[in-house]
Amino acid sequence: MRLAKLIICLFFPFISKAQLFIKGNVKNMYGENLQHVTVSLNNNISKAVVGYAVTNAIGNYEISIGKDTGVFLRVSYVGYKTDERKLKNISVNYDFKLVDANFSLPEVKIKSRPLLRQIGDTLSYNVDQFSKTQDRTIGDVIKSLPGITVNAQGTISYNGKPINKFYIDGDDILGDKYAIASNTIPNNVVDAIQILENHQPIKMLENKVFDDNASLNIKLKSSAKLRLFGSGTATAGVPFFSGDIRINTLAFLKKIKVINTYSFNNIGVDLATEIQSQNTDAPWQQQLKNKLQPVLGFTGLQSPIIPNKYFINNQSHLISLNSFLPLSKVKSVKFNINWLPSTNKNITKVTNTYYLPNDTIRQFENQTNKISDNNFTFNTTYLINASKYYLQNQFQFETLLNKGTAIIENEIKSFQQTLIGKSTGFQNALTLKKIFASKYIFESSVNTKYNNFPEKLNLAFGAYPWLLNNNIDYLQTAQTTKTNRLSNNIDISISKLINKFSIKISETFLTENENNKSDVNLNQLNGRNKKADSTFLNNFNW
């Protein structure tokens, strides 16, 4: 306990210095505390919102601020005149008394809405008022919303916890790969961004099973629901003919919702981050979603500690086709297709200088790697989300073809490596939930996944002849590996609801079979192939 107090005392000055707070109270002219009043902290020049708070039941508010200059407070509430005050000293409380706004209802014209509004567990951000001139997509606006953070992988968090669903007008079109929507939907077609606190996405569990995760819903303007529309950007540069292109087509109609995009760049941007999973499932579910990792690879130099875009030359394309079809109020089917062909070229050079008493020795190694990947993914999901039962079946097929060459030279010799690998796999996940007598919940899930990943690596000269070929020179080495994995998970449970609590009995069966084979072949000077020593032949099955 004493040690904990000492640590708190040591770090408290740093914490208090890093976080400053503005506090105060809001009343009306009669001295009554006002609840749900919006208090925002705005930049003096751009007028942009840099912080906000909503008064509590006794009219108090508190706003965290990083700097104490260049901002002012704005207080607004329906039926009262907006009040503004420059920030001079954060050591004092800023209290407000709002004056009634006299108006005649027939003559009122509403020109703007509050910055944010909370009704029950739904918090709505007014997109028009939070958008800045440089914002192009709804993802740009989301990054600047108070209480919301977006990490480098595109995962959206609310109050420090990742969201569990990303809806577009109430429909889950992209599942856990929602970065495509963030980077595609123009911000000028969105009416509001809604945070659904304590959201339970399964209807049969509403008001029965508590979920403390929030969901995000993109509420579109009416004009965006009546037509097919598109957007696009293109930039180019010289003298290296660099470019960044993005073309989007979108439709959010009653019978179908479509988000299609094509992207290209050769400026080092990794397009794979747009279609990666923002998965926050249980650990065993994440394990089932994991891909087989390559066994073979190029021997190479260490990459510099700088972003990839500064030392990798790429040619990347991404085609993403996503469609959502509502079959009824509780049934839907969606299709997600992603194709990502890309080529990356990496050039690294290193020189080592050794200063000896009587000599100076210099060693160098230059390496040029060129790797081409061709990744195709097809996913379809059928969903029934009814008040009495829940059924979801998700099928995914994925194939990845990669080819690569690496040329390495040093002061002794130069040689070339070639690598080819093809990964193929499929996964089917079936989930069924049903509620009986409003108290008993039966749940069952079956998740099956298969992967096959053969690879071949050629080394264009006879390396280590003393180890592999009885000290006899030979032309090249060829190493082959093959990995097969079949995973199957069955989870069955039954629970009983008792007030706001539940008692659950569950049984989980997890089986996994994996086979790994590797071999080394030698190409002799006479053109014949020979297997290396038997110690290099492996067959591991578990």
Side-chain angles (χ1 to χ4, degrees), residues 71-132:
V71 291
F72 67 92
L73 285 169
R74 173 182 290 165
V75 179
S76 60
Y77 194 50
V78 176
Y80 294 86
K81 292 182 179 180
T82 299
D83 194 359
E84 295 181 356
R85 194 174 304 174
K86 289 185 178 181
L87 183 64
K88 296 181 180 179
N89 188 349
I90 63 169
S91 63
V92 299
N93 288 354
Y94 284 83
D95 299 330
F96 292 85
K97 279 191 175 183
L98 298 185
V99 179
D100 294 345
N102 298 321
F103 55 86
S104 178
L105 286 177
E107 298 177 358
V108 169
K109 294 183 179 180
I110 301 177
K111 296 182 179 180
S112 63
R113 295 177 298 165
L115 288 170
L116 64 159
R117 178 177 54 186
Q118 184 159 11
I119 301 177
D121 286 340
T122 301
L123 178 66
S124 296
Y125 296 87
N126 187 339
V127 171
D128 289 339
Q129 295 196 34
F130 278 102
S131 295
K132 297 184 287 293

Side-chain angles (χ1 to χ4, degrees), residues 433-448:
K433 301 176 186 286
K434 188 170 178 61
I435 190 166
F436 298 94
S438 301
K439 291 184 178 181
Y440 297 92
I441 301 174
F442 172 78
E443 301 177 66
S444 176
S445 63
V446 180
N447 196 325
T448 303

Side-chain angles (χ1 to χ4, degrees), residues 261-294:
T261 184
Y262 165 75
S263 298
F264 163 81
N265 87 85
N266 59 357
I267 57 175
V269 178
D270 185 9
L271 296 177
T273 58
E274 294 201 31
I275 55 174
Q276 71 180 12
S277 172
Q278 311 299 333
N279 174 29
T280 58
D281 291 335
W284 65 265
Q285 291 175 316
Q286 295 183 19
Q287 181 63 31
L288 285 176
K289 291 183 178 181
N290 286 343
K291 303 176 184 178
L292 286 178
Q293 298 300 314

Side-chain angles (χ1 to χ4, degrees), residues 324-342:
F324 178 89
L325 288 79
L327 305 178
S328 67
K329 290 184 178 180
V330 298
K331 298 180 182 179
S332 64
V333 62
K334 62 182 177 184
F335 301 93
N336 307 103
I337 300 174
N338 298 306
W339 181 36
L340 178 62
S342 63

Side-chain angles (χ1 to χ4, degrees), residues 200-321:
Q200 175 55 260
I202 302 176
K203 291 182 179 179
M204 58 167 273
L205 301 181
E206 287 181 351
N207 302 320
K208 296 181 177 68
V209 177
F210 177 77
D211 193 330
D212 59 351
N213 289 319
S215 296
L216 186 145
N217 181 48
I218 302 296
K219 185 179 179 182
L220 301 170
K221 295 179 179 179
S222 300
S223 58
K225 306 176 186 180
L226 304 175
R227 57 189 173 89
L228 174 71
F229 61 95
S231 63
T233 58
T235 58
V238 291
F240 302 107
F241 303 104
S242 58
D244 187 6
I245 300 172
R246 188 181 189 98
I247 302 173
N248 310 311
T249 57
L250 306 99
F252 302 105
L253 310 176
K254 288 185 177 181
K255 295 185 178 181
I256 187 173
K257 288 182 171 65
V258 174
I259 299 178
N260 298 330
T261 184
Y262 165 75
S263 298
F264 163 81
N265 87 85
N266 59 357
I267 57 175
V269 178
D270 185 9
L271 296 177
T273 58
E274 294 201 31
I275 55 174
Q276 71 180 12
S277 172
Q278 311 299 333
N279 174 29
T280 58
D281 291 335
W284 65 265
Q285 291 175 316
Q286 295 183 19
Q287 181 63 31
L288 285 176
K289 291 183 178 181
N290 286 343
K291 303 176 184 178
L292 286 178
Q293 298 300 314
V295 177
L296 302 179
F298 294 140
T299 58
L301 304 175
Q302 184 176 358
S303 298
I305 310 176
I306 57 176
N308 290 355
K309 64 181 180 179
Y310 295 121
F311 66 92
I312 289 181
N313 297 318
N314 72 310
Q315 296 277 346
S316 301
H317 303 262
L318 171 63
I319 297 177
S320 182
L321 308 176

